[in-house]
Amino acid sequence: MGKVYEKLQNCLECVRKQTDFVPKVAIVLGSGLGNYADNIKVECEIEYSSIEGFPVSTVPGHAGKFIFGYVDDVPVVCMKGRVHYYEGYDISDVVLPIRLMGLLGAKILFLTNASGGINKAFKAGDFMMITDHIAALFPNPLIGPNVDELGTRFPDMSHVYDLDLQEIIKESAKELSIDLKEGVYVQLTGPSFESPADIRMLSVLGADAVGMSTVCEAIVANHMGLKICGISCVCNLAAGISPTPLTHEEVQQAGKDAAPKFEKLVTLAVKKMAGI
Ligand code: HPA
């Protein structure tokens, strides 16, 4: 057994000592979107710090725990807080929680995040359903010996974001009269925000929104065969498009402002995932 899988098994054992809950949908809650737990019939909460070897975030506003429970009748596990590569963790640790939720039984991964809008048609507060991503600008989380127990060495990436789940998200937005944008998300390492020249480059490459998470998570989830979907909250216009300098506080505030709509959208979409 390789080191990465061994660590994962230890974490799994640690969680299984605390709960035998089997989630169907794993939801990752992005910056400022952390109060989603209020929409869940909570069965059990597990602090990341109680799981031996589990990466614990250092960023204010990213405190971490797993929340197990039900959205309507759908069993879910939510990650309240995630760690980022820029915090100094190995990329294999950054994605460990995703793999763990897969091993706990999740079949669907619902990713959310905060991003900067690159597409000129976007405004702060918009939601963008992720239809594809650009992964070429940070270390691939599958580098190192392949974890054969989870998936193949060279996974196909043609359809990372599941089309049925995209349909569900679009239907849900329509029913709720929420204007839903669609586009390509690019992950950079951060922690500095981009320069205006970075943003012009990313725009030429075909990115609609930029952030510091999510793509690495989608890669390992795709590797282990989960169905994946994602929504990005465009919390600010990217550097050079925004007339003002960017701050973490602004991003968090925009996330909080968007939270009520976001919670409705995620809840309805997860309910509709019962049949998948
Ligand atoms: N850039 C990178 N990450 C972000 C941004 C941004 O403008 N906004 C929120 N997360």
Side-chain angles (χ1 to χ4, degrees):
M1 197 191 303
K3 267 197 202 140
V4 168
Y5 195 62
E6 196 178 324
K7 188 168 187 179
L8 205 46
Q9 286 299 324
N10 286 340
C11 289
L12 181 62
E13 219 173 278
C14 228
V15 171
R16 279 297 172 230
K17 277 188 191 140
Q18 299 183 62
T19 181
D20 56 7
F21 193 91
V22 177
K24 171 169 184 165
V25 183
I27 308 170
V28 183
L29 303 170
S31 304
L33 306 177
N35 287 330
Y36 186 67
D38 298 346
N39 297 271
I40 298 173
K41 196 155 28 105
V42 178
E43 289 280 309
C44 161
E45 297 190 350
I46 298 181
E47 300 281 337
Y48 298 156
S49 57
S50 77
I51 307 171
E52 214 186 303
F54 196 93
V56 178
S57 177
T58 57
V59 186
H62 287 264
K65 60 183 170 186
F66 284 123
I67 301 161
F68 295 88
Y70 294 89
V71 171
D72 211 30
D73 287 332
V74 181
V76 303
V77 54
C78 276
M79 278 184 72
K80 182 168 174 167
R82 54 151 72 95
V83 295
H84 297 79
Y85 185 59
Y86 60 72
E87 291 174 75
Y89 296 99
D90 285 351
I91 193 79
S92 65
D93 280 335
V94 174
V95 295
L96 178 146
I98 303 296
R99 288 173 152 164
L100 183 56
M101 294 192 292
L103 292 181
L104 287 167
K107 300 284 177 254
I108 294 172
L109 176 64
F110 199 145
L111 293 163
T112 72
N113 63 37
S115 64
I118 297 175
N119 186 319
K120 296 253 171 58
F122 292 178
K123 53 188 188 313
D126 275 349
F127 294 115
M128 182 191 87
M129 184 178 72
I130 303 173
T131 54
D132 203 352
H133 69 220
I134 296 174
L137 301 172
F138 68 93
N140 192 297
L142 301 179
I143 288 175
N146 185 48
V147 187
D148 294 328
E149 291 88 344
L150 299 180
T152 179
R153 171 77 291 188
F154 299 109
D156 176 59
M157 298 287 289
S158 307
H159 294 287
V160 174
Y161 299 88
D162 185 83
L163 289 175
D164 294 334
L165 297 179
Q166 289 190 40
E167 270 316 305
I168 285 177
I169 291 172
K170 281 196 270 188
E171 259 174 41
S172 306
K174 202 166 169 199
E175 276 179 43
L176 295 166
S177 302
I178 291 174
D179 176 34
L180 183 69
K181 306 287 200 287
E182 294 180 24
V184 173
Y185 175 91
V186 59
Q187 176 178 354
L188 302 189
T189 64
S192 48
F193 288 117
E194 302 71 34
S195 68
D198 285 329
I199 295 301
R200 284 195 298 277
M201 173 189 77
L202 296 171
S203 175
V204 170
L205 295 180
D208 296 294
V210 56
M212 304 174 194
S213 67
T214 303
V215 177
C216 56
E217 298 164 340
I219 290 173
V220 296
N222 177 70
H223 177 240
M224 67 191 299
L226 302 191
K227 285 184 189 287
I228 302 163
C229 62
I231 304 176
S232 186
C233 176
V234 178
C235 287
N236 57 277
L237 299 180
I241 302 175
S242 165
T244 53
L246 310 184
T247 65
H248 179 58
E249 290 68 30
E250 169 197 3
V251 170
Q252 283 205 305
Q253 190 56 49
K256 279 194 187 123
D257 294 346
K261 259 202 314 191
F262 165 78
E263 289 171 14
K264 279 191 196 140
L265 180 55
V266 173
T267 301
L268 185 57
V270 170
K271 275 185 200 173
K272 287 176 186 279
M273 288 173 195
I276 284 208

